[in-house]
Amino acid sequence: MDDVPVAKTAFVGKRLPQTLESQRPWTKAELIARGFQLIEWDGRCAAQPDLLNLALTHPTPPRQPRPILDRQDRVFAVLGGRPRGDNWSTVNLSMQHIFQECKTAYSANPQQTNHRRGDFTAINVGISYGGGQKQVSNLSHSVPNCAVLNSMLQLQPVCRIANFGNSLLQLFAPHMHGHYGSMLNALCARHSHLHRNFAKSVFCCATFNLGPHTVTKAHTDHLNLPCGWCSITALGDFDEKQGGHLVLWDLRMLIEFPAGSTILIPSAILRHSNTPVQPHERRYSLTQFSPGGVFRWVACCFQSAKDAGVTSRDLNREGRGRWELGLSMFSTWTELVKAHT
């Protein structure tokens, strides 16, 4: 906890100050010149039950799911890929049309089109708490915009991507998945006015990054649960060898991230960005995540800390134990191999 950007409460990360890296997108050539490790990966082979030992520290075929391990053998990120089958490319194609239609139909405000992550339209939807909300609720949108989003959430391609991200979380981080699921189930049972994005996903929220050139600057999603994962699915029509890479700044990794593939990372504590795509290309993304504020609401007996009589000192005092509990929800690679052999 001392060497990662986690708040004292361990419910959220720390917002990092602006740096040279966060002021603009960086190209593949620039990052390689700075000594970043290029990870070649075609993103086409989804995880299988017979998990292979494919840590990024060892040479591996590019057509494989690839876990990223820490020094304690914990799987703290994973290049998950995509489901097997020829029809997944049609999902990517359908999503491009869906996002184009959404961008036309949804009336975005300036904060949704120009923000610290980049200059592209990003729309959040789902259950959240924090950032000025007085109680846990679904994120607010105008009536016409709600109709657009509710329609999108029911479309089969959108649901398939969401369900796949959920399945990767369950496969590579089963304890974390159980924690997410039990929290969200209890939350929705207690507050009947809340509506999940997807019946088969344990993530509270989703973001539709509508592009058409979704290229993020270096950032962390500090309001997410710091010991949790964010599921990122790249979409569009671009050459992944030239652009659209996922950049993990703290690990100095430059990862090829093809359209239609999914990667899961602890986005609240790991600085990440994308390299630009070419001017004639299109790139979008769909992410799923869970805000740390929602977990704090549940921990305070389904109310705000103030209403529960819990002080900031109380929350901070329990932070280290909360962080250690969160770390225990990351599976070790040895544990996963043993479970699937």
Side-chain angles (χ1 to χ4, degrees), residues 325-337:
L325 176 63
L327 288 179
S328 71
M329 294 183 192
F330 287 96
S331 299
T332 65
W333 188 243
T334 301
E335 174 189 355
L336 291 177
V337 171

Side-chain angles (χ1 to χ4, degrees), residues 68-106:
I68 303 177
L69 311 183
D70 69 7
R71 294 177 181 177
Q72 284 73 46
D73 192 44
R74 290 180 293 231
V75 180
F76 72 92
V78 63
L79 282 58
R82 65 179 70 180
R84 293 184 183 273
D86 296 333
N87 69 338
W88 194 249
S89 60
T90 64
V91 172
N92 176 48
L93 183 60
S94 296
M95 287 299 300
Q96 295 178 59
H97 296 309
I98 290 169
F99 275 15
Q100 289 168 9
E101 292 175 358
C102 176
K103 189 173 182 181
T104 300
Y106 186 96

Side-chain angles (χ1 to χ4, degrees), residues 11 127-129 133-137 179-194 204 292-310 315:
F11 278 120
I127 300 170
S128 185
Y129 176 65
Q133 291 173 274
K134 294 184 178 181
Q135 63 178 10
V136 68
S137 63
H179 181 51
Y180 275 40
S182 60
M183 183 281 297
L184 187 56
N185 288 338
L187 185 68
C188 292
R190 183 62 175 262
H191 302 294
S192 59
H193 67 281
L194 298 177
C204 289
V294 176
F295 289 86
R296 186 175 70 247
W297 176 274
V298 173
C300 292
C301 300
F302 302 95
Q303 57 190 324
S304 68
K306 180 180 179 181
D307 289 343
V310 178
L315 293 173

Side-chain angles (χ1 to χ4, degrees), residues 111-230:
Q111 290 74 31
Q112 293 171 311
T113 58
N114 191 314
H115 39 83
R116 67 184 182 88
R117 293 175 179 83
D119 299 328
F120 55 87
T121 301
I123 302 172
N124 296 325
V125 59
I127 300 170
S128 185
Y129 176 65
Q133 291 173 274
K134 294 184 178 181
Q135 63 178 10
V136 68
S137 63
N138 283 83
L139 291 167
S140 177
H141 300 271
S142 69
V143 173
N145 284 345
C146 271
V148 174
L149 294 177
N150 289 338
S151 176
M152 283 186 64
L153 292 172
Q154 298 176 45
L155 295 175
Q156 185 182 51
V158 177
C159 293
R160 290 187 66 183
I161 289 173
N163 294 345
F164 181 62
N166 176 77
S167 296
L168 287 173
L169 178 66
Q170 186 173 26
L171 179 62
F172 284 97
H175 307 301
M176 187 189 303
H177 182 275
H179 181 51
Y180 275 40
S182 60
M183 183 281 297
L184 187 56
N185 288 338
L187 185 68
C188 292
R190 183 62 175 262
H191 302 294
S192 59
H193 67 281
L194 298 177
H195 302 286
R196 300 171 67 140
N197 282 340
F198 308 102
K200 296 182 180 180
S201 177
V202 298
F203 291 101
C204 289
C205 290
T207 299
F208 301 134
N209 294 308
L210 303 180
H213 298 100
T214 298
V215 180
T216 61
K217 305 172 186 177
H219 68 283
T220 60
D221 302 307
H222 65 284
L223 294 180
N224 292 355
L225 188 70
C227 60
W229 277 353
C230 171

Side-chain angles (χ1 to χ4, degrees), residues 307-327:
D307 289 343
V310 178
T311 67
S312 297
R313 182 174 295 182
D314 295 331
L315 293 173
N316 293 343
R317 184 174 57 248
E318 298 172 356
R320 184 166 294 276
R322 189 175 294 115
W323 172 248
E324 292 174 354
L325 176 63
L327 288 179

Side-chain angles (χ1 to χ4, degrees), residues 272-284:
H272 55 286
S273 65
N274 300 107
T275 58
V277 295
Q278 299 176 78
H280 65 280
E281 296 177 329
R282 294 172 296 172
R283 185 182 185 277
Y284 314 88

